[in-house]
Amino acid sequence: MQNQKRVIIENILPQLDNGAFFIKRIVGQKVNVTADIISDGHDVMEAVVQYKFEKDKKWSEVRMNTLTNDAFEATFLVEKQGYYSYFVEAWIDYALNWHYGIGKKINDNQHVKSELLEGVEYIKPLISKVSPSDKKYLNEVIDLFSNEASYDKAIIEAVSDKLKSIFKQNPSKFLANQTQELKVYVDRQKALFSTWYEFFPRSASSEEGKHGTFKDCEKLLPRVAKMGFDTLYFPPVHPIGEVNRKGKNNATDANLGDVGSPWGIGSQYGGHKSIHPELGTIDDFKSMVNTAKEFGIEIAMDFALQAAPDHPYVKEFPQWFKWRPDGTVQYAENPPKKYQDILPIYFESDDWKNLWKELLDCALFWVEECGIKVFRVDNPHTKPFYFWGWLIAEIKKKHPDVLFLAEAFTRPKIMHELAKQGFTQSYSYYTWRNTKAELQEYLTELTQTNQKEFFRPNFWPNTPDINPFPLQGANESTHLQKYFLAATLSSSVGIYGPIFEYMVSDALPGKEEYMDSEKYQIRLWDWNKENKITLLIAKINQIRKEQISLQQTNNIEFCDTDNDQVIAFYKFDDNKENETLMIASLDAYYAKQAMVRLPLQSLGINAGHPVNVIDLITGNSYIWDKEWNFVELHPTLPFHLFKIQK
């Protein structure tokens, strides 16, 4: 292959899989682009990042700055929702090369008459491109360079910053080289910063044994808002299958009156576009969604692509299921778990195009009919990756505000692929990270590798499916510590509500599952009850809304402590206008003392410079003027959340 271009551009970042997938940002964030750029010889190289929004006709550009070891960087701002494209362009800049070379010769007291005349050849093409004042200046420079009597003035002007600036603003991109176009998808802020609360609508009633309704849920919205949650997530609200319905505690056979698992979707009352009749009507659901908006809350729907044996799809579209020789469909399994009340959808069906269209229509129904903008997707890793890439892209074309949370507690690379295909957020391994070393290692992986470009973690201490061992029989301090760390390490956090707040953690023996799981029965909660956990959750959530350093995940630095039972980390916004320091004890039973090292370099201060740290939980403040500072934490309040004032 013959190619006359002299510039090589390599290692452009950020990008995913050689541009196969887009990186992610939210409106108002920056994209910092770096690349290694080299050429033969010693000529002056210049480079820019070209970028544009998908609907813009013209490209914008920002000049790249040189770093060490042939690296270049530049940053651009994304200001609209949707796709941006960007690429790196680089070239040998002959005008700047001339400017640099003649400066060297002048400093060496060489006579540069010929070089001045060469400079005229670089100036002439710019006359028609510059402003009237610059045009006047350049004509004067041409006269100086062309008149030997003006030599002394000419060599002064030849090395002037003004001439260099004009060359830089009007580059001569001869034989420019460029990379392929890369993409970034820009979401609204909630994609990065969200606070989730989950409860079962059927448990919203205040009466023992009475099935809750959407009207009952509506009455609980002030409580959810008071606690500082902006997203209220419900398990599926569709009709629940009656065939093979599960009984209490996942019993294979249901007794009369058992309500079944809401994930067993579909019955005589309808399927994925219907409402479970005991919850109310579609109008009741719409009313609740609209009322929630008045409280600053978005309702997140569960998008579970599976069917109960009596789902209308089974009779209407039997080709969407894989039938065995005996005329049955194998129910869903995740060994050792068995889901006799669920039939998997057969994505390898010959009728897959109609299947995909119907499932897209299901999601669009709730978006367009009821104003739903957030979906929690059940087990997306058991459906084809390309299906999700297509479905999410199709919805985003019409409704860019719609967000998707992937419920995929599975292998890392599969979780990552779902995020690359377009899932906005993902459940994470936080639930099983308990020690200081585990937490620091996991957050470093999330925030310091290329995962930071596409994988947005949502930290949940518990879910209806997961009653983690550390919470089983745990005390108040453990619950407080688990929520505090989730809410400050990650910018998105969620809890499976009342069972966490009231420390109801009885488990099936030897399993990370709840005894008397709400997945299979109605639970009665005292929704008027407040305790220390509910009050502190509300306080932490309020602080998260006020401190923008806590509204992102990636800007984090762990601080040294001399106690492995005490973890400390520093967070900051992109402009370092808001800085916070979190310190937490990992011991739920005994007081812990530690010396904590301030990140002086990141703070931009030297030891001895006084720092005011204000505990936003208690209101207490302290002056620290040393690099290492003493803290003591008690189980009654096992953390500090400091705002830093320098």
Side-chain angles (χ1 to χ4, degrees):
M1 180 185 70
Q2 292 179 312
N3 190 337
Q4 195 182 7
K5 297 172 183 176
R6 293 173 55 197
V7 177
I8 304 295
I9 309 171
E10 299 178 327
N11 299 326
I12 179 172
L13 295 173
Q15 64 167 294
L16 297 178
D17 298 353
N18 295 318
F21 299 102
F22 51 82
I23 64 167
K24 296 175 182 175
R25 293 293 186 273
I26 64 166
V27 172
Q29 282 192 322
K30 298 174 182 177
V31 179
N32 185 57
V33 180
T34 62
D36 295 336
I37 304 175
I38 59 174
S39 176
D40 59 281
H42 303 284
D43 290 341
V44 174
M45 289 183 298
E46 289 289 298
V48 295
V49 173
Q50 300 264 15
Y51 67 96
K52 75 178 183 72
F53 181 62
E54 58 183 327
K55 296 181 181 178
D56 291 344
K57 294 182 179 180
K58 294 183 179 180
W59 292 84
S60 300
E61 71 175 35
V62 57
R63 190 65 61 100
M64 300 189 81
N65 299 313
T66 56
L67 302 173
T68 59
N69 196 24
D70 296 312
F72 286 67
E73 74 168 354
T75 299
F76 66 92
L77 188 69
V78 291
E79 300 177 290
K80 304 173 186 177
Q81 283 182 232
Y83 285 102
Y84 279 75
S85 297
Y86 62 100
F87 65 89
V88 173
E89 183 182 32
W91 63 93
I92 303 294
D93 197 301
Y94 294 104
L96 289 174
N97 199 50
W98 168 86
H99 185 271
Y100 174 79
I102 198 172
K104 287 282 191 179
K105 292 181 178 181
I106 291 171
N107 288 338
D108 193 42
N109 294 316
Q110 296 181 31
H111 193 76
V112 292
K113 177 184 177 182
S114 178
E115 286 80 357
L116 289 171
L117 294 176
E118 289 176 5
V120 171
E121 299 305 310
Y122 294 119
I123 294 172
K124 284 181 178 179
L126 304 183
I127 296 297
S128 62
K129 300 179 180 179
V130 298
S131 67
S133 61
D134 284 344
K135 180 177 180 180
K136 180 175 181 293
Y137 166 75
L138 291 179
N139 281 322
E140 292 172 353
V141 171
I142 290 174
D143 290 341
L144 286 175
F145 287 5
S146 303
N147 188 348
E148 191 169 351
S150 304
Y151 181 81
D152 290 343
K153 292 182 179 179
I155 60 174
I156 294 174
E157 210 55 54
V159 297
S160 69
D161 289 338
K162 184 171 184 178
L163 183 59
K164 180 180 180 181
S165 176
I166 292 175
F167 283 147
K168 208 159 178 81
Q169 293 169 17
N170 301 275
S172 55
K173 297 182 178 180
F174 183 63
L175 295 178
N177 201 0
Q178 68 183 49
T179 65
Q180 69 182 96
E181 288 184 24
L182 303 169
K183 289 189 180 296
V184 51
Y185 188 81
V186 183
D187 272 305
R188 59 189 175 113
Q189 186 191 25
K190 199 184 191 82
L192 180 63
F193 175 59
S194 55
T195 314
W196 294 56
Y197 189 83
E198 176 181 5
F199 70 79
F200 285 70
R202 66 190 185 191
S203 294
S205 173
S206 58
E207 297 181 31
E208 180 74 49
K210 184 178 180 181
H211 197 289
T213 66
F214 292 133
K215 293 185 182 299
D216 293 321
C217 295
E218 205 164 324
K219 295 175 184 177
L220 297 177
L221 292 173
R223 180 184 189 273
V224 176
K226 182 180 177 181
M227 291 183 67
F229 293 98
D230 58 39
T231 309
L232 177 55
Y233 157 56
F234 293 145
V237 295
H238 312 298
I240 298 172
E242 297 168 7
V243 176
N244 293 347
R245 176 176 286 192
K246 287 297 188 78
K248 294 179 179 179
N249 284 313
N250 201 20
T252 303
D253 298 316
N255 293 319
L256 183 65
D258 282 346
V259 291
S261 167
W263 281 274
I265 297 171
S267 75
Q268 60 180 312
Y269 300 107
H272 283 75
K273 296 178 185 176
S274 303
I275 291 291
H276 186 60
E278 291 184 88
L279 291 172
T281 66
I282 191 77
D283 288 334
D284 293 335
F285 182 73
K286 290 179 182 180
S287 173
M288 182 195 61
V289 171
N290 291 328
T291 303
K293 291 176 183 176
E294 297 173 7
F295 286 96
I297 296 170
E298 293 189 47
I299 300 298
M301 283 193 70
D302 196 291
F303 194 49
L305 300 186
Q306 58 216 24
D310 44 335
H311 192 296
Y313 284 164
V314 179
K315 286 186 178 180
E316 294 175 16
F317 305 102
Q319 69 273 25
W320 293 351
F321 301 88
K322 187 173 183 179
W323 296 89
R324 298 187 295 182
D326 64 357
T328 64
V329 176
Q330 173 63 52
Y331 55 75
E333 291 184 290
N334 182 17
K337 295 181 180 180
K338 296 181 179 181
Y339 304 97
Q340 293 92 339
D341 56 338
I342 292 173
L343 303 184
I345 290 173
Y346 185 45
F347 279 87
E348 296 176 30
S349 166
D350 291 339
D351 193 35
W352 65 273
K353 288 186 178 180
N354 287 322
L355 169 63
W356 284 28
K357 183 180 182 301
E358 170 62 17
L359 298 179
L360 172 63
D361 287 345
C362 287
L364 287 174
F365 173 84
W366 297 104
V367 174
E368 295 173 351
E369 292 294 320
C370 301
I372 293 298
K373 294 183 178 180
V374 184
F375 289 101
R376 178 269 198 191
V377 180
D378 187 64
N379 281 333
H381 56 292
T382 61
K383 289 82 181 174
F385 295 120
Y386 292 132
F387 163 75
W388 290 120
W390 171 81
L391 180 138
I392 293 171
E394 288 297 305
I395 291 175
K396 288 281 195 178
K397 285 179 186 176
K398 298 175 65 177
H399 306 284
D401 276 355
V402 177
L403 310 178
F404 295 85
L405 170 64
E407 188 259 350
F409 295 105
T410 184
R411 304 192 304 278
K413 291 179 182 177
I414 291 179
M415 295 168 70
H416 297 165
E417 182 65 26
L418 291 167
K420 291 175 183 178
Q421 290 290 345
F423 276 90
T424 317
Q425 297 180 0
S426 177
Y427 283 79
S428 67
Y429 296 143
Y430 169 75
T431 317
W432 299 278
R433 299 297 184 263
N434 299 299
T435 68
K436 179 178 178 179
E438 289 171 341
L439 289 165
Q440 292 187 171
E441 180 183 29
Y442 187 44
L443 266 294
T444 299
E445 174 191 330
L446 290 171
T447 64
Q448 302 302 316
T449 69
N450 76 328
Q451 288 182 45
K452 68 182 179 181
E453 304 294 353
F454 67 92
F455 188 83
R456 296 191 185 112
N458 196 324
F459 280 11
W460 288 66
N462 73 326
T463 76
D465 290 300
I466 304 166
N467 179 14
F469 290 126
L471 284 181
Q472 295 180 16
N475 63 6
E476 178 184 80
S477 185
T478 300
H479 284 77
L480 291 174
Q481 171 248 315
K482 287 291 183 183
Y483 188 79
F484 174 79
L485 287 175
T488 53
L489 286 167
S490 173
S491 54
S492 288
V493 62
I495 56 169
Y496 165 37
I499 207 163
F500 182 88
E501 300 159 23
Y502 304 148
M503 299 185 294
V504 179
S505 59
D506 294 343
L508 294 176
K511 296 184 178 181
E512 288 189 304
E513 297 179 39
Y514 286 100
M515 179 71 74
D516 300 326
S517 172
E518 203 169 356
K519 289 173 62 178
Y520 308 105
Q521 64 188 78
I522 295 172
R523 298 288 295 265
L524 179 67
W525 303 110
D526 182 357
W527 294 103
N528 296 316
K529 181 179 177 180
E530 287 188 339
N531 59 20
K532 187 176 178 178
I533 293 176
T534 62
L535 294 174
L536 279 172
I537 286 175
K539 184 67 175 177
I540 292 167
N541 290 345
Q542 176 189 347
I543 293 169
R544 280 165 46 88
K545 292 180 180 179
E546 296 169 348
Q547 307 301 316
I548 59 174
S549 59
L550 300 179
Q551 295 172 16
Q552 56 76 44
T553 301
N554 292 334
N555 294 340
I556 185 171
E557 180 179 339
F558 286 96
C559 304
D560 293 332
T561 73
D562 64 355
N563 189 328
D564 284 342
Q565 290 294 303
V566 175
I567 189 170
F569 49 98
Y570 157 70
K571 298 192 83 171
F572 51 93
D573 68 305
D574 286 344
N575 298 319
K576 288 198 172 180
E577 295 173 350
N578 181 257
E579 299 168 291
T580 48
L581 175 67
M582 281 56 66
I583 307 172
S585 170
L586 302 179
D587 190 322
Y589 298 97
Y590 299 98
K592 292 296 175 184
Q593 299 81 33
M595 297 296 290
V596 178
R597 187 178 190 177
L598 280 176
L600 297 181
Q601 183 174 354
S602 298
L603 289 168
I605 60 175
N606 298 316
H609 181 95
V611 173
N612 187 23
V613 292
I614 304 167
D615 192 323
L616 299 176
I617 301 290
T618 65
N620 296 331
S621 63
Y622 310 90
I623 300 294
W624 288 356
D625 59 1
K626 298 179 178 61
E627 185 173 11
W628 288 86
N629 299 274
F630 175 79
V631 297
E632 183 172 29
L633 295 162
H634 297 265
T636 53
L637 188 62
F639 46 75
H640 289 297
L641 202 171
F642 289 127
K643 181 177 181 179
I644 299 174
Q645 291 184 340
K646 296 178 286 189

